[in-house]
Short mmCIF file of all heavy atoms in Angstrom, two decimals:
data_model
loop_
_atom_site.label_atom_id
_atom_site.label_comp_id
_atom_site.label_asym_id
_atom_site.label_seq_id
_atom_site.Cartn_x
_atom_site.Cartn_y
_atom_site.Cartn_z
N LEU A 154 163.15 189.84 6.15
CA LEU A 154 163.44 189.33 4.81
C LEU A 154 163.64 190.47 3.82
O LEU A 154 164.50 190.40 2.94
CB LEU A 154 162.30 188.42 4.35
CG LEU A 154 162.15 187.08 5.07
CD1 LEU A 154 160.86 186.38 4.65
CD2 LEU A 154 163.35 186.17 4.80
N ARG A 155 162.84 191.51 3.94
CA ARG A 155 162.92 192.63 3.00
C ARG A 155 164.16 193.48 3.22
O ARG A 155 164.62 194.16 2.30
CB ARG A 155 161.65 193.47 3.10
CG ARG A 155 160.44 192.76 2.52
CD ARG A 155 159.12 193.39 2.91
NE ARG A 155 158.00 192.69 2.27
CZ ARG A 155 156.74 192.82 2.62
NH1 ARG A 155 156.40 193.65 3.61
NH2 ARG A 155 155.79 192.13 2.00
N ASP A 156 164.70 193.46 4.43
CA ASP A 156 165.92 194.20 4.71
C ASP A 156 167.17 193.45 4.27
O ASP A 156 168.27 194.02 4.27
CB ASP A 156 166.03 194.48 6.22
CG ASP A 156 165.08 195.58 6.68
OD1 ASP A 156 164.59 196.33 5.82
OD2 ASP A 156 164.83 195.66 7.90
N CYS A 157 167.01 192.20 3.89
CA CYS A 157 168.14 191.34 3.54
C CYS A 157 168.35 191.36 2.03
O CYS A 157 167.39 191.38 1.26
CB CYS A 157 167.84 189.93 4.03
SG CYS A 157 169.21 188.80 3.85
N ASP A 158 169.61 191.34 1.59
CA ASP A 158 169.89 191.37 0.16
C ASP A 158 170.63 190.12 -0.31
O ASP A 158 171.30 190.12 -1.34
CB ASP A 158 170.69 192.62 -0.22
CG ASP A 158 172.03 192.70 0.50
OD1 ASP A 158 172.37 191.76 1.26
OD2 ASP A 158 172.75 193.70 0.30
N ASP A 159 170.49 189.02 0.44
CA ASP A 159 171.22 187.80 0.13
C ASP A 159 170.30 186.61 0.32
O ASP A 159 169.65 186.48 1.36
CB ASP A 159 172.44 187.70 1.06
CG ASP A 159 173.16 186.38 0.91
OD1 ASP A 159 173.90 186.23 -0.07
OD2 ASP A 159 172.96 185.49 1.76
N TRP A 160 170.23 185.70 -0.68
CA TRP A 160 169.29 184.58 -0.60
C TRP A 160 169.65 183.61 0.53
O TRP A 160 168.76 183.11 1.23
CB TRP A 160 169.23 183.83 -1.93
CG TRP A 160 168.31 184.46 -2.92
CD1 TRP A 160 168.64 185.04 -4.11
CD2 TRP A 160 166.89 184.59 -2.78
NE1 TRP A 160 167.52 185.53 -4.73
CE2 TRP A 160 166.42 185.26 -3.94
CE3 TRP A 160 165.96 184.22 -1.82
CZ2 TRP A 160 165.08 185.55 -4.15
CZ3 TRP A 160 164.63 184.51 -2.01
CH2 TRP A 160 164.19 185.17 -3.17
N ALA A 161 170.91 183.35 0.73
CA ALA A 161 171.29 182.42 1.80
C ALA A 161 170.82 182.95 3.15
O ALA A 161 170.29 182.21 3.99
CB ALA A 161 172.80 182.21 1.81
N ALA A 162 171.00 184.23 3.37
CA ALA A 162 170.56 184.83 4.63
C ALA A 162 169.04 184.82 4.75
O ALA A 162 168.50 184.59 5.83
CB ALA A 162 171.09 186.26 4.75
N ARG A 163 168.35 185.06 3.65
CA ARG A 163 166.87 185.01 3.68
C ARG A 163 166.38 183.62 4.09
O ARG A 163 165.48 183.48 4.92
CB ARG A 163 166.30 185.38 2.31
CG ARG A 163 166.48 186.83 1.91
CD ARG A 163 165.73 187.13 0.62
NE ARG A 163 166.09 188.45 0.12
CZ ARG A 163 166.83 188.68 -0.96
NH1 ARG A 163 167.26 187.66 -1.69
NH2 ARG A 163 167.13 189.91 -1.32
N PHE A 164 166.96 182.59 3.49
CA PHE A 164 166.54 181.23 3.84
C PHE A 164 166.85 180.92 5.31
O PHE A 164 166.08 180.22 5.98
CB PHE A 164 167.22 180.22 2.93
CG PHE A 164 166.73 180.23 1.50
CD1 PHE A 164 167.61 180.27 0.44
CD2 PHE A 164 165.37 180.20 1.22
CE1 PHE A 164 167.15 180.28 -0.87
CE2 PHE A 164 164.90 180.21 -0.09
CZ PHE A 164 165.79 180.25 -1.14
N THR A 165 167.95 181.42 5.81
CA THR A 165 168.30 181.19 7.21
C THR A 165 167.30 181.88 8.14
O THR A 165 166.87 181.31 9.15
CB THR A 165 169.73 181.69 7.50
OG1 THR A 165 170.65 180.94 6.71
CG2 THR A 165 170.07 181.53 8.97
N ILE A 166 166.93 183.10 7.80
CA ILE A 166 165.93 183.83 8.59
C ILE A 166 164.60 183.07 8.60
O ILE A 166 163.97 182.90 9.64
CB ILE A 166 165.74 185.26 8.02
CG1 ILE A 166 166.98 186.10 8.28
CG2 ILE A 166 164.50 185.92 8.61
CD1 ILE A 166 167.00 187.42 7.51
N LEU A 167 164.19 182.61 7.43
CA LEU A 167 162.95 181.86 7.33
C LEU A 167 163.01 180.58 8.15
O LEU A 167 162.08 180.27 8.91
CB LEU A 167 162.65 181.52 5.87
CG LEU A 167 161.52 180.53 5.63
CD1 LEU A 167 160.18 181.10 6.09
CD2 LEU A 167 161.47 180.11 4.16
N GLU A 168 164.09 179.85 8.02
CA GLU A 168 164.18 178.56 8.70
C GLU A 168 164.22 178.73 10.21
O GLU A 168 163.61 177.94 10.96
CB GLU A 168 165.40 177.79 8.22
CG GLU A 168 165.48 176.40 8.78
CD GLU A 168 166.28 175.49 7.89
OE1 GLU A 168 167.50 175.42 8.08
OE2 GLU A 168 165.68 174.86 7.00
N THR A 169 164.91 179.74 10.69
CA THR A 169 164.93 180.01 12.13
C THR A 169 163.51 180.27 12.63
O THR A 169 163.10 179.77 13.69
CB THR A 169 165.83 181.21 12.44
OG1 THR A 169 167.16 180.92 12.00
CG2 THR A 169 165.84 181.53 13.93
N PHE A 170 162.75 181.03 11.88
CA PHE A 170 161.36 181.32 12.23
C PHE A 170 160.54 180.03 12.30
O PHE A 170 159.80 179.80 13.27
CB PHE A 170 160.77 182.26 11.18
CG PHE A 170 159.29 182.50 11.31
CD1 PHE A 170 158.80 183.47 12.17
CD2 PHE A 170 158.39 181.78 10.54
CE1 PHE A 170 157.44 183.71 12.28
CE2 PHE A 170 157.02 182.00 10.65
CZ PHE A 170 156.55 182.97 11.53
N LEU A 171 160.70 179.15 11.30
CA LEU A 171 159.91 177.92 11.26
C LEU A 171 160.31 176.97 12.38
O LEU A 171 159.44 176.34 13.01
CB LEU A 171 160.07 177.24 9.91
CG LEU A 171 159.49 177.98 8.71
CD1 LEU A 171 159.75 177.21 7.42
CD2 LEU A 171 157.99 178.22 8.88
N LEU A 172 161.59 176.83 12.64
CA LEU A 172 162.02 175.93 13.71
C LEU A 172 161.48 176.38 15.07
O LEU A 172 161.11 175.56 15.91
CB LEU A 172 163.55 175.85 13.74
CG LEU A 172 164.19 175.06 12.59
CD1 LEU A 172 165.70 175.25 12.59
CD2 LEU A 172 163.83 173.57 12.68
N GLN A 173 161.41 177.68 15.26
CA GLN A 173 160.84 178.19 16.51
C GLN A 173 159.34 177.91 16.58
O GLN A 173 158.82 177.52 17.62
CB GLN A 173 161.11 179.69 16.63
CG GLN A 173 162.58 180.03 16.85
CD GLN A 173 162.87 181.52 16.77
OE1 GLN A 173 162.03 182.31 16.31
NE2 GLN A 173 164.04 181.92 17.23
N ARG A 174 158.64 178.09 15.46
CA ARG A 174 157.19 177.89 15.44
C ARG A 174 156.82 176.42 15.67
O ARG A 174 155.78 176.11 16.25
CB ARG A 174 156.59 178.35 14.11
CG ARG A 174 156.72 179.82 13.81
CD ARG A 174 155.86 180.70 14.68
NE ARG A 174 154.45 180.43 14.58
CZ ARG A 174 153.50 181.24 15.04
NH1 ARG A 174 153.84 182.39 15.62
NH2 ARG A 174 152.22 180.92 14.94
N PHE A 175 157.67 175.51 15.19
CA PHE A 175 157.37 174.08 15.31
C PHE A 175 158.11 173.41 16.47
O PHE A 175 158.15 172.18 16.55
CB PHE A 175 157.72 173.36 14.01
CG PHE A 175 156.78 173.67 12.87
CD1 PHE A 175 157.20 174.42 11.79
CD2 PHE A 175 155.48 173.20 12.89
CE1 PHE A 175 156.33 174.71 10.74
CE2 PHE A 175 154.60 173.48 11.85
CZ PHE A 175 155.04 174.24 10.77
N ALA A 176 158.69 174.21 17.35
CA ALA A 176 159.52 173.65 18.42
C ALA A 176 158.74 172.81 19.41
O ALA A 176 159.32 171.96 20.09
CB ALA A 176 160.24 174.78 19.15
N ASP A 177 157.42 173.00 19.50
CA ASP A 177 156.65 172.25 20.50
C ASP A 177 156.55 170.77 20.17
O ASP A 177 156.23 169.95 21.03
CB ASP A 177 155.25 172.84 20.67
CG ASP A 177 154.42 172.82 19.39
OD1 ASP A 177 154.78 172.06 18.46
OD2 ASP A 177 153.41 173.54 19.33
N GLY A 178 156.79 170.41 18.91
CA GLY A 178 156.80 169.00 18.52
C GLY A 178 155.43 168.35 18.42
O GLY A 178 155.33 167.15 18.16
N GLN A 179 154.36 169.10 18.65
CA GLN A 179 153.02 168.53 18.56
C GLN A 179 152.70 168.19 17.11
O GLN A 179 152.88 169.02 16.21
CB GLN A 179 151.99 169.51 19.12
CG GLN A 179 152.18 169.79 20.59
CD GLN A 179 151.14 170.78 21.11
OE1 GLN A 179 150.20 171.12 20.42
NE2 GLN A 179 151.33 171.22 22.35
N GLU A 180 152.21 167.00 16.87
CA GLU A 180 152.00 166.52 15.51
C GLU A 180 150.55 166.28 15.15
O GLU A 180 150.25 165.80 14.07
CB GLU A 180 152.81 165.24 15.28
CG GLU A 180 154.31 165.45 15.43
CD GLU A 180 155.10 164.20 15.11
OE1 GLU A 180 154.47 163.19 14.75
OE2 GLU A 180 156.33 164.25 15.22
N GLY A 181 149.63 166.58 16.04
CA GLY A 181 148.24 166.33 15.73
C GLY A 181 147.91 164.84 15.83
O GLY A 181 148.72 164.03 16.30
N ARG A 182 146.74 164.48 15.38
CA ARG A 182 146.30 163.09 15.51
C ARG A 182 147.01 162.18 14.51
O ARG A 182 147.00 162.43 13.31
CB ARG A 182 144.78 163.02 15.34
CG ARG A 182 144.06 163.49 16.59
CD ARG A 182 142.59 163.21 16.52
NE ARG A 182 141.90 164.20 15.73
CZ ARG A 182 140.57 164.31 15.69
NH1 ARG A 182 139.81 163.48 16.38
NH2 ARG A 182 139.99 165.23 14.96
N ARG A 183 147.60 161.14 15.04
CA ARG A 183 148.36 160.22 14.19
C ARG A 183 147.45 159.52 13.17
O ARG A 183 147.89 159.14 12.09
CB ARG A 183 149.06 159.18 15.06
CG ARG A 183 150.23 159.74 15.88
CD ARG A 183 150.82 158.70 16.79
NE ARG A 183 149.86 158.29 17.81
CZ ARG A 183 150.08 157.32 18.69
NH1 ARG A 183 151.22 156.66 18.67
NH2 ARG A 183 149.16 157.01 19.59
N GLU A 184 146.17 159.33 13.53
CA GLU A 184 145.26 158.65 12.62
C GLU A 184 145.09 159.42 11.30
O GLU A 184 145.05 158.82 10.22
CB GLU A 184 143.89 158.45 13.28
CG GLU A 184 143.91 157.53 14.48
CD GLU A 184 144.15 158.26 15.78
OE1 GLU A 184 144.60 159.44 15.72
OE2 GLU A 184 143.89 157.69 16.85
N ILE A 185 145.01 160.75 11.41
CA ILE A 185 144.85 161.56 10.20
C ILE A 185 146.12 161.52 9.36
O ILE A 185 146.06 161.38 8.13
CB ILE A 185 144.50 163.01 10.57
CG1 ILE A 185 143.22 163.08 11.42
CG2 ILE A 185 144.34 163.86 9.31
CD1 ILE A 185 142.00 162.53 10.73
N ALA A 186 147.27 161.64 10.02
CA ALA A 186 148.54 161.57 9.29
C ALA A 186 148.68 160.23 8.58
O ALA A 186 149.13 160.15 7.43
CB ALA A 186 149.70 161.81 10.24
#
Side-chain angles (χ1 to χ4, degrees):
L154 291 172
R155 289 165 178 165
D156 285 343
C157 187
D158 60 3
D159 173 78
W160 277 115
R163 291 187 190 109
F164 289 131
T165 297
I166 290 168
L167 169 65
E168 186 155 89
T169 300
F170 172 84
L171 293 178
L172 287 170
Q173 291 172 346
R174 296 290 301 194
F175 289 110
D177 61 18
Q179 296 180 8
E180 298 184 1
R182 283 190 280 191
R183 290 176 295 176
E184 295 90 345
I185 302 299

